[in-house]
Amino acid sequence: MVILSEKRTERDVYEAISDQTRRRLLRLLADAEELPLYELTVHFEMGRTAVSKHLTILKDAGLVVSRKIGRETRYRLNATPLKEIHDWVSFYEDFWKERMFKLNLLLEEQKMKADVSLDFQYTSSIEEVWKALTDSEMLAKWIWENDFKPVVGHKFQFRAEPNKWWNGIVDCEVLEVEEPHKISYTWASQGENTTVTWTLKEGSDGTTHLHFEQAGFSEETKATKGAIEGAIYSWTKMGEQLGKVLDQ
């Protein structure tokens, strides 16, 4: 009785399945309990002797066992040694799953990264600025006419004067309300679906710091010359108008 070392057995299993013909033999045997040599040979463009040599290599690796029935030798699969390869592949499968998970997180972070980011500061209290951001009548004074309500899930519209390039409609839905520190809603217009977020912070001197973000522009829009710059310009003007409304 010959006992192969663990290292030799590992090498034999890997070498045994490295050949396409031997892998196909294993697949044929996996689909049947037992097959004689002649039934295996018909699947290959080679003679019985060549197929028999491949089966011998698989037998040496413990992947195939055979038995004699009269003058006929029948072969069957022994899949146990393949577990070693499965375990080896599984290690790298977990390795790549972890890295793909981290990559997806990074891509999501990049996706949610604000395309437009602006900061404003007002002498008004945080409560006053919050009201200007969430009261429909006040919103109309520095953005556009609207039917806004600070309620998560509420769908509303901003309605501006239409022109030949734009119907003047922005469809929105409230996503987040944290009075008086944060308000977020979708901003869908002309095929673009973005998210607008206002974050308020009260300064030690009684002023209010207002941070604005708009995220989610399509790659096509971001690649369009002047598109993001145009959004920055528009929101900057609105922020200035908000300051005038607060000063009234």
Side-chain angles (χ1 to χ4, degrees), residues 10-214:
E10 289 179 4
R11 186 178 71 242
D12 284 344
V13 172
Y14 286 100
E15 288 179 358
I17 67 167
S18 65
D19 182 85
Q20 184 177 0
T21 298
R22 294 194 287 273
R23 290 197 300 271
R24 191 176 178 191
L25 281 167
L26 291 177
R27 180 56 186 270
L28 290 169
L29 292 171
D31 293 335
E33 289 187 6
E34 236 180 21
L35 287 174
L37 178 59
Y38 75 88
E39 285 191 28
L40 290 169
T41 303
V42 297
H43 294 279
F44 301 93
E45 295 182 358
M46 61 181 72
R48 292 191 184 189
T49 301
V51 173
S52 180
K53 288 181 179 179
H54 283 293
L55 287 167
T56 298
I57 293 173
L58 292 172
K59 285 177 63 179
D60 290 343
L63 291 165
V64 167
V65 293
S66 64
R67 68 188 181 106
K68 284 275 190 178
I69 300 180
R71 299 178 60 184
E72 182 182 76
T73 302
R74 301 181 68 86
Y75 300 88
R76 64 181 175 86
L77 173 68
N78 176 34
T80 302
L82 293 174
K83 184 179 183 303
E84 176 187 321
I85 295 174
H86 173 269
D87 293 342
W88 182 79
V89 172
S90 294
F91 170 81
Y92 290 99
E93 183 179 11
D94 293 338
F95 173 87
W96 283 112
K97 279 183 179 178
E98 179 182 354
R99 276 147 186 79
M100 290 304 296
F101 176 73
K102 291 180 179 178
L103 175 60
N104 287 331
L105 286 179
L106 179 61
L107 291 175
E108 284 299 316
E109 289 176 1
Q110 290 295 320
K111 182 179 178 181
M112 293 308 296
K113 185 177 180 180
D115 299 306
V116 178
S117 180
L118 298 169
D119 287 288
F120 305 95
Q121 184 170 325
Y122 304 107
T123 56
S124 302
S125 68
I126 192 171
E127 290 79 15
E128 291 172 326
V129 177
W130 177 261
K131 183 178 180 180
L133 291 171
T134 58
D135 180 84
S136 179
E137 292 185 5
M138 292 194 71
L139 277 169
K141 294 179 180 180
W142 63 278
I143 301 185
W144 300 304
E145 292 293 329
N146 64 90
D147 54 340
F148 175 84
K149 292 179 182 179
V151 177
V152 173
H154 173 64
K155 295 181 180 181
F156 65 100
Q157 288 184 335
F158 280 110
R159 296 178 291 273
E161 188 70 30
N163 55 47
K164 63 180 181 179
W165 300 286
W166 180 44
N167 64 3
I169 302 296
V170 181
D171 292 303
C172 308
E173 180 178 348
V174 180
L175 300 176
E176 190 173 1
V177 178
E178 294 180 16
E179 185 177 356
H181 297 290
K182 189 176 183 181
I183 184 79
S184 178
Y185 42 84
T186 59
W187 185 278
S189 180
Q190 294 181 298
E192 280 292 327
N193 293 284
T194 60
T195 300
V196 165
T197 303
W198 301 94
T199 306
L200 298 80
K201 184 178 180 181
E202 190 173 20
S204 58
D205 56 355
T207 61
T208 300
H209 302 273
L210 179 62
H211 179 69
F212 168 84
E213 289 186 355
Q214 186 173 17

Side-chain angles (χ1 to χ4, degrees), residues 211-235:
H211 179 69
F212 168 84
E213 289 186 355
Q214 186 173 17
F217 282 101
S218 66
E219 293 301 319
E220 182 180 356
T221 294
K222 287 190 281 189
T224 302
K225 185 176 181 181
I228 300 300
E229 289 79 1
I232 292 172
Y233 175 81
S234 296
W235 285 111

